[in-house]
Amino acid sequence: MREDMLSTPTGNRLIQAMDPADRAALLALATPVDFVQGQIFNEPDDAVEHLHFIDQGIASSVAVLEDGRTVETVMIGREGVLGVVASVVPHLSRTRSVAQSAGSAQRVDAARFRQLAAQRPGVRDGVAGFMARLQGELEQSAACNALHRAEQRFAKWLLRCHDRVEGDTLSLTQEYLASMLGSQRTTVNEAAQSLQKSGAIAYSRGKVTVVDRAALERAACECYRAGETST
C-alpha cells in the first residue's frame, strides 16, 4: 500500500504507534539526521552503534560476497528501524547497510536504547513486533529468490520501493538494480523492457517511473502481497 494513501502522521511509523509517554522517552534519546543516496551506515563486521528509525527514504541491508557481488537482503523505510538486532544485544553487522534513496531518520545510540527498552515494555514490544515481521519477510524472500522469475521479483522490488517514497519516479541505475536483485544487468534490462512494454513502468537513464501501478502489481509475484501488511 502506498505511504501517501495512509492516514498515519509523518515520521517513523514504529515511533508514531507508541504510547505518547514511550514515544517521548525514545525521542528524548534521538538525534534527527539526514542521509544521501549511497551513504554507508555500516560495513560487514562493524559494531552497530546506532539504530536508525527511518522517517523518509529507503535503507537496505546488502550481503557482500567474496567476489564483490552484492544482493539486497532487507529493505527498510518509515515502517521500521535499521540495525534492529542491536536493539536487543550488542551486534556486529553481517551486511552492508546503505541508503538506497535520500531521506532522514531518528538516530538512537543502541546501548541507550537497550537501557530504555528494559525500562519501558511498550518501546521494547514495538520494536520486537517489527523484528517478527522482518523475520517473516526474510523467510518469504528465501522462497521467492529460489522459485520466482526475475521479472516477478523485479516488479515486487519496484512496488516495495514505490511504497516507501513520495512520487512515482525512482532514481535507480541498471547496475544498482542488478546489485540489489542479485542478477546480471542483462537480466534486469530484459525484465525492465518487459514491464515497460506492458505499460507498467517507463525506464530511461537510471530512472524508473511507475506508470500503471495496477499492472505492476499484476506482474509481481505473490510475495509482494504476502509482505504488504509489513510496510
Side-chain angles (χ1 to χ4, degrees):
M1 182 181 294
R2 283 299 303 272
E3 298 262 335
D4 52 15
M5 297 177 185
L6 298 170
S7 59
T8 53
T10 301
N12 182 270
R13 290 170 63 190
L14 281 181
I15 294 176
Q16 292 294 340
M18 290 178 183
D19 176 270
D22 289 334
R23 185 189 312 136
L26 177 56
L27 289 176
L29 301 180
T31 301
V33 295
D34 295 324
F35 53 84
V36 299
Q37 186 177 34
Q39 181 172 325
I40 304 295
F41 298 96
N42 289 102
E43 290 284 6
D45 297 324
D46 284 351
V48 180
E49 297 179 348
H50 296 96
L51 309 177
H52 289 83
F53 291 82
I54 306 297
D55 284 328
Q56 291 181 312
I58 305 172
S60 295
S61 291
V62 180
V64 183
L65 303 184
E66 289 183 353
D67 61 6
R69 288 182 298 169
T70 60
V71 62
E72 182 186 75
T73 58
V74 171
M75 179 192 296
I76 297 171
R78 63 190 285 262
E79 80 288 346
V81 53
L82 186 67
V84 67
V85 176
S87 71
V88 180
V89 292
H91 179 61
L92 295 181
S93 180
R94 299 291 301 274
T95 60
R96 174 181 295 150
S97 299
V98 58
Q100 189 182 114
S101 67
S104 59
Q106 300 294 327
R107 185 178 67 195
V108 180
D109 180 85
R112 295 186 71 187
F113 178 90
R114 292 192 293 270
Q115 293 174 352
L116 179 68
Q119 299 164 1
R120 289 189 168 271
V123 172
R124 180 198 64 210
D125 292 347
V127 174
F130 170 69
M131 288 184 69
R133 294 191 296 274
L134 193 63
Q135 178 63 31
E137 180 184 316
L138 289 168
E139 292 168 356
Q140 187 76 29
S141 292
C144 182
N145 293 334
L147 300 175
H148 291 149
R149 294 181 290 107
E151 182 180 331
Q152 293 176 304
R153 293 188 293 112
F154 184 49
K156 178 196 73 171
W157 191 80
L158 289 177
L159 285 167
R160 298 186 71 235
C161 289
H162 195 226
D163 288 340
R164 290 166 170 81
V165 300
E166 296 180 1
D168 295 323
T169 299
L170 311 169
S171 297
L172 304 165
T173 66
Q174 194 177 80
E175 183 178 8
Y176 186 74
L177 288 169
S179 173
M180 291 298 97
L181 292 168
S183 301
Q184 299 293 325
R185 291 180 61 181
T186 53
T187 303
V188 171
N189 185 58
E190 290 171 1
Q193 292 299 324
S194 178
L195 291 173
Q196 183 164 254
K197 186 178 294 185
S198 73
I201 66 169
Y203 179 60
S204 176
R205 297 184 179 181
K207 292 187 182 296
V208 177
T209 300
V210 177
V211 176
D212 185 340
R213 176 158 175 119
L216 193 58
E217 289 182 358
R218 289 193 296 272
C221 58
E222 66 199 70
C223 300
Y224 172 70
R225 292 177 291 279
E228 213 173 355
T229 57
S230 68
T231 57

